[in-house]
Amino acid sequence: MKRFLIGAIVAYALSATLLVAWWGAKASSLRLLIDAPSIRQAEQAEEPFVSKDLRTLFLDQGVETSGWQYLKVRFGDLSGTVFQAAIGVIFVICLVAAIPPKPGPSGQATRDPSSTTRRARRSALAASLIGFASIAVAWLYGRSTILHPYHQIVVGALLALLAAEAVALFLGFQQLAHGPNRAAVAGWVLVALAPLAFWVLVGSYGAKQWQGRNVPRNLLMQLSVAAGSALMRLESSYEYPHRLETDRLVMLYDVLDNPHQDGEAMDAHMAEMERTLGTTSGSKVLWVRGRLPVLGLGGLSVHEIALGSEESPNDWAADGRIDRHELAHAALDSRRSADADPPLFLHEGWAESQSGATRDELATKALEQHTEEPSIGIVSLTEPKWYHHDAGPVYPLGGAFVEFLIRKHGADKFLRLYNESRESRFKHTFREIYDVELDAMETEFWNDAQNRDG
């Protein structure tokens, strides 16, 4: 029987190796076909050819991916160093697992079923407890209003979970390889894998929602955003080693022409937003000058971390809208209550209204959008389809509407609406704060946009 099992395992390994080799040959051939035009262009320009990663190719071609497809693309973009390390870890685990478990005191393996599974059971329970702790830490981190240096706690909890999972899997597989009580040990292995499986679910769910530009407010998305922001903070520290601190922000950068000028310009922008909102922030926001290549993120803001431009503009008064936009998000996030659930058109509208566009520019964009899609208005953006959707008309309509609300009715009411909003009762909350129905306010808004000279 043992020889039969060994023969089956060897056959499986050879079959898997052949299948992987076929896939690899096919993938490398397809990659060569995709890169061929770029290689020819680089040769003609006498420039070095730089191969693009899969995610960049998908973005260049405008190809949308589902959550699982996105994870496959990210997996395919992992470096050879990562795979070499993973292969080394697998070999170590498998070879060490071949060592028989420690025998009982008498030199013979104990017959007590509970004793034979004790190490697998304890390691599985430890992995589960650390997994639950990592979930709790991430949830509390996401609700915190002071995030910067506490990302280390979240990252530490996730690393502790990975270490606990490795120990639990090693002990479990060792017991499965040598017996006895393989069924019971297999059950404890599944228990150990439960927290890791949950985090995989969180990651795939968050990736799928973000691919569709949706940011629902539920536990899975909150955990995804919290863990993602902690990893963003970690990567930004290594990717951008230089640090410049002003009164209101911390700028991380690599190479910039005028870092001090940039810092002064955006600190003044933060100060202007403080005057607009009438409140000061309890902590400094983090301004990262460029993309995060490992996470594949750029041009966005999460909590109080703003990913901005990679270069110093010639004139901050005329340029730098992406930085103004993302820093506006970070500034408002620092004043956001833990239970706030504003519609995305308010969230993006605030950032658009602070991006440097004039009242006339904002109103013109809103009118153009409304002319193009007259069925979509402000009230429409509070419906389930649009409430948590971060694309399309939420930008032009939201920007002009938020500018109108603050100019006509003050920033204090806008802040209150932003923090007290809930999807199920947004219109009711709006009526409580502004003492008018949302429909009537929208009519007033469109009249104001069309009569900007008044």
Side-chain angles (χ1 to χ4, degrees), residues 87-101:
I87 291 171
V89 170
I90 290 172
F91 266 90
V92 169
I93 291 176
C94 292
L95 292 177
V96 177
I99 301 173

Side-chain angles (χ1 to χ4, degrees), residues 180-252:
N181 300 315
R182 289 186 174 89
V185 172
W188 286 115
V189 169
L190 293 177
V191 170
L193 286 173
L196 188 61
F198 178 77
W199 275 114
V200 171
L201 173 64
V202 168
S204 60
Y205 177 82
K208 180 179 180 180
Q209 292 299 323
W210 184 241
Q211 284 292 298
R213 305 295 290 183
N214 294 311
V215 192
R217 183 174 175 79
N218 53 42
L219 178 61
L220 290 180
M221 197 64 187
Q222 286 176 293
L223 290 174
S224 179
V225 170
S229 63
L231 295 175
M232 286 171 59
R233 182 65 180 87
L234 178 68
E235 184 182 351
S236 64
S237 299
Y238 290 96
E239 189 69 28
Y240 299 95
H242 302 299
R243 175 188 179 99
L244 188 149
E245 189 167 347
T246 70
D247 292 338
R248 298 169 182 82
L249 57 83
V250 176
M251 182 175 73
L252 301 183

Side-chain angles (χ1 to χ4, degrees), residues 21-237:
W22 175 68
W23 278 341
K26 191 172 184 178
S28 62
S29 300
L30 290 174
R31 184 59 197 243
L32 180 61
L33 182 64
I34 292 172
D35 285 343
S38 299
I39 293 174
R40 285 195 295 269
Q41 290 178 1
E43 290 175 347
Q44 292 172 359
E46 297 183 350
E47 297 177 351
F49 169 69
V50 179
S51 180
K52 297 181 179 179
D53 58 34
L54 293 176
R55 186 170 184 273
T56 302
L57 290 173
F58 272 72
L59 292 175
D60 288 347
Q61 298 299 321
V63 178
E64 297 289 337
T65 57
S66 65
W68 285 112
Q69 289 171 334
Y70 175 80
L71 292 177
K72 287 192 292 184
V73 169
R74 298 299 297 157
F75 181 74
D77 279 335
L78 292 176
S79 65
T81 304
V82 174
F83 278 99
Q84 291 171 8
I87 291 171
V89 170
I90 290 172
F91 266 90
V92 169
I93 291 176
C94 292
L95 292 177
V96 177
I99 301 173
K102 185 178 179 180
S106 63
Q108 301 293 328
T110 178
R111 295 183 178 181
D112 182 4
S114 63
S115 298
T116 58
T117 62
R118 182 178 295 137
R119 292 194 302 170
R121 181 174 69 251
R122 288 178 177 177
S123 61
L125 290 175
S128 297
L129 290 175
I130 294 174
F132 292 139
S134 68
I135 295 169
V137 166
W139 183 76
L140 290 172
Y141 173 79
R143 293 178 63 83
S144 173
T145 56
I146 303 177
L147 302 177
H148 306 312
Y150 299 119
H151 70 282
Q152 298 172 357
I153 300 176
V154 179
V155 174
L158 294 175
L159 290 176
L161 173 60
L162 292 177
E165 291 285 353
V167 172
L169 291 177
F170 161 67
L171 294 175
F173 289 145
Q174 184 185 52
Q175 192 68 46
L176 286 173
H178 298 281
N181 300 315
R182 289 186 174 89
V185 172
W188 286 115
V189 169
L190 293 177
V191 170
L193 286 173
L196 188 61
F198 178 77
W199 275 114
V200 171
L201 173 64
V202 168
S204 60
Y205 177 82
K208 180 179 180 180
Q209 292 299 323
W210 184 241
Q211 284 292 298
R213 305 295 290 183
N214 294 311
V215 192
R217 183 174 175 79
N218 53 42
L219 178 61
L220 290 180
M221 197 64 187
Q222 286 176 293
L223 290 174
S224 179
V225 170
S229 63
L231 295 175
M232 286 171 59
R233 182 65 180 87
L234 178 68
E235 184 182 351
S236 64
S237 299

Side-chain angles (χ1 to χ4, degrees), residues 282-343:
S283 61
K284 297 181 181 182
V285 303
L286 191 73
W287 181 25
V288 182
R289 300 303 300 277
R291 294 181 57 83
L292 301 179
V294 175
L295 294 174
L297 298 174
L300 81 160
S301 178
V302 178
H303 288 307
E304 298 169 41
I305 306 172
L307 306 183
S309 63
E310 299 178 353
E311 300 178 351
S312 299
N314 295 325
D315 181 11
W316 275 105
D319 300 320
R321 288 197 174 185
I322 182 175
D323 295 288
R324 295 178 187 278
H325 180 105
E326 302 305 338
L327 283 171
H329 278 313
L332 193 58
D333 282 339
S334 67
R335 298 164 173 82
R336 180 172 180 159
S337 65
D339 295 316
D341 183 22

